[in-house]
Amino acid sequence: MAAEKSDGVLLPLSGKLRAITLGAVLIALTATVPYLTLLNAFFFSGVFLAGMSAIYYAVISHQVRLSYNEAFVLGSFSGIAGGIFSETVSFLLIEFTGYRPGAEGLKLMVDWARDMAAGKPELAEQLRALTDMEALALAPVALTPADLLTGVLFASIFYAPIAGLGGVFTVFRLKRQAAKVR
């Protein structure tokens, strides 16, 4: 990854904005749609895939070469926009419908833990603690605008580098494919 350059063809601003928007929408979907939220339970893989998709779209639709740095920055902007968008959607869902994104995934995992602990009295204490945490996580909440801003800040901090790495991975894969074709 040392001293690499793009080919001089620049990605237009409209292409960057479309890529960022695509990544942000995909992040919001993987952070709010029931059961799709489980993707992010595995090392934020939904965010990583959103960064990959955004950069793939930009490179393929505009036929440009991106350096690893450019891919990381564009993917990171996609992660920041996705954090803002997904947290805003989550806030609105909680406020107006009472639905908490990710609740069904939590319930699935707790049910799985209950099944695994069935008939094992040595796990009863851990299961009780997990059940208490589930009740606390699913309790009704009243959110404030400060909660929204905190959520946006933390989501953006976590999503930006992960989506950026997804973008770098896409450029790496595309460069390997191009090298095999030559």
Side-chain angles (χ1 to χ4, degrees):
M1 281 203 291
E4 50 121 348
K5 300 182 325 187
S6 56
D7 64 352
V9 178
L10 297 176
L11 183 62
L13 180 61
S14 64
K16 290 177 184 178
L17 291 176
R18 283 189 189 125
I20 290 170
T21 302
L22 173 66
V25 167
L26 290 174
I27 288 171
L29 288 174
T30 62
T32 58
V33 173
Y35 298 105
L36 199 53
T37 57
L38 288 172
L39 272 176
N40 287 325
F42 301 105
F43 307 109
F44 293 104
S45 58
V47 176
F48 188 82
L49 290 170
M52 285 178 59
S53 300
I55 300 306
Y56 185 83
Y57 167 79
V59 169
I60 298 302
S61 67
H62 294 284
Q63 293 298 302
V64 295
R65 287 186 191 179
L66 294 179
S67 68
Y68 293 115
N69 293 337
E70 292 168 330
F72 184 81
V73 169
L74 188 58
S76 294
F77 280 129
S78 181
I80 291 169
I84 293 168
F85 187 48
S86 68
E87 287 300 312
T88 303
V89 169
S90 295
F91 180 83
L92 294 173
L93 284 171
I94 292 169
E95 283 297 305
F96 295 114
T97 67
Y99 171 69
R100 293 178 81 170
E104 65 287 329
L106 175 64
K107 180 142 179 51
L108 279 175
M109 286 193 244
V110 170
D111 290 343
W112 173 74
R114 279 191 190 113
D115 291 343
M116 296 297 287
K120 297 179 183 170
E122 66 273 8
L123 297 177
E125 185 61 35
Q126 287 89 351
L127 188 59
R128 190 172 315 116
L130 187 61
T131 305
D132 292 345
M133 286 190 294
E134 176 191 28
L136 183 64
L138 298 177
V141 295
L143 297 177
T144 65
D147 295 326
L148 173 62
L149 291 176
T150 303
V152 163
L153 177 68
F154 282 110
S156 297
I157 287 171
F158 283 112
Y159 293 176
I162 294 169
L165 289 174
V168 169
F169 182 74
T170 296
V171 168
F172 173 74
R173 293 291 299 159
L174 289 173
K175 286 184 179 192
R176 280 190 67 195
Q177 284 179 344
K180 285 181 182 180
V181 171
R182 287 183 204 169

